[in-house]
Amino acid sequence: MSAPAPHRGGRWWRLAPVEARMVLRRRTVALSMLAGPLMMVFFAVVVSPEGPEGWGMLAGISGLIGMLLSVYASAATVFTLRRESGALARLRTTELSGAGIVAATGAPLFVVGVAQTLLVLAVFVALGAPAPAQPLLLVVPIVLGGAFCVVAGALTSTFSSGAESVQFTVLPLVIVASVAANLLATGVDPALRGALLLVPGTPVADLIVTAWTGVPGPAVAGLAPTVLGPLLLVAWIAIAVLGAAARWRWTPRG
């Protein structure tokens, strides 16, 4: 008689603190998570924008790029390292479900990313930026952006054969989203604006600008930015989750 399969359940949040300590022990990941926020603060000091519009543009671009560098790149690295070291395969033999293991690994990155972004924006205010016109609206792009970066990192890790290759597999999204966010901030015609908002992650920057200035950008397809942005972010989160689930491996790549 064969042994019963382990019950797939368990409380994944009990594993999350352990995963957080594992993340902090890896120097490269810890430095990667600090690089984005420090770079954004440096830009704010050097550029020193004037008025709500200037600070709003910087806050939007900084919020997105900071998340991409500290959360997305770190998530891709952590998931790849945990897979290649065999840690994910070992966790798979425990009572935790597959979704629980992924959630426990990604939760610390999400929390740190949200906290870092809020801290950077608070530093902007301390440097002389006017307070956001709609502070509650800031919660939407920061939370959804953090979630997107974690699941996008999980998906990107499935294309990475090792920690060394992650720096190349994360580059396309970081570069394309950063360029699209900068173009959005400069103001473009509605058709191009709609195309740029379709780039994964760019609604984060657009929503932060709207929250900071209180002035929404032009509607696209009849939808206001405060409606279209969250819808697009939720859609990209779903696409990343489905893509990661389809390509996911628990064991190291052969």
Side-chain angles (χ1 to χ4, degrees):
M1 184 177 179
S2 59
H7 171 65
R8 295 299 180 185
R11 299 176 178 178
W12 61 266
W13 55 87
R14 291 181 177 177
L15 178 62
V18 178
E19 291 295 309
R21 289 194 292 271
M22 293 294 293
V23 168
L24 294 177
R25 285 178 186 173
R26 294 192 176 274
R27 215 171 284 174
T28 54
V29 176
L31 289 175
S32 175
M33 298 191 75
L34 289 173
L38 289 176
M39 187 182 302
M40 297 307 106
V41 171
F42 174 76
F43 282 161
V45 173
V46 173
V47 176
S48 187
E50 294 184 3
E53 293 78 13
W55 279 105
M57 288 171 57
L58 182 62
I61 296 170
S62 298
L64 176 59
I65 296 178
M67 282 189 186
L68 290 173
L69 294 178
S70 63
V71 182
Y72 169 60
S74 297
T77 302
V78 168
F79 281 116
T80 301
L81 288 172
R82 300 291 276 160
R83 179 183 296 109
E84 296 306 307
S85 68
L88 290 181
R90 290 192 294 272
L91 287 171
R92 189 65 174 141
T93 64
T94 67
E95 65 176 6
L96 287 172
S97 65
I101 295 170
V102 176
T105 304
L109 300 170
F110 170 79
V111 172
V112 171
V114 169
Q116 284 183 340
T117 305
L118 290 173
L119 180 59
V120 168
L121 297 182
V123 170
F124 284 3
V125 175
L127 290 174
Q134 301 180 48
L136 291 180
L137 181 58
L138 279 175
V139 176
V140 177
I142 293 174
V143 171
L144 291 180
F148 166 73
C149 286
V150 170
V151 295
L155 173 58
T156 301
S157 75
T158 66
F159 294 92
S160 307
S161 58
E164 297 78 11
S165 66
V166 172
Q167 58 186 319
F168 300 106
T169 53
V170 300
L171 275 180
L173 178 57
V174 172
I175 293 174
V176 173
S178 299
V179 171
N182 275 276
L183 289 174
L184 271 176
T186 60
V188 292
D189 63 78
L192 181 55
R193 175 178 166 78
L196 292 173
L197 284 173
L198 290 175
V199 175
T202 54
V204 170
D206 192 59
L207 286 168
I208 291 177
V209 172
T210 299
W212 206 280
T213 63
V215 181
V220 176
L223 294 175
T226 52
V227 175
L228 179 61
L231 287 176
L232 289 174
L233 287 172
V234 169
W236 279 116
I237 289 171
I239 291 170
V241 168
L242 293 174
R247 291 186 49 85
W248 194 258
R249 291 173 59 107
W250 295 103
T251 55
R253 297 169 64 96

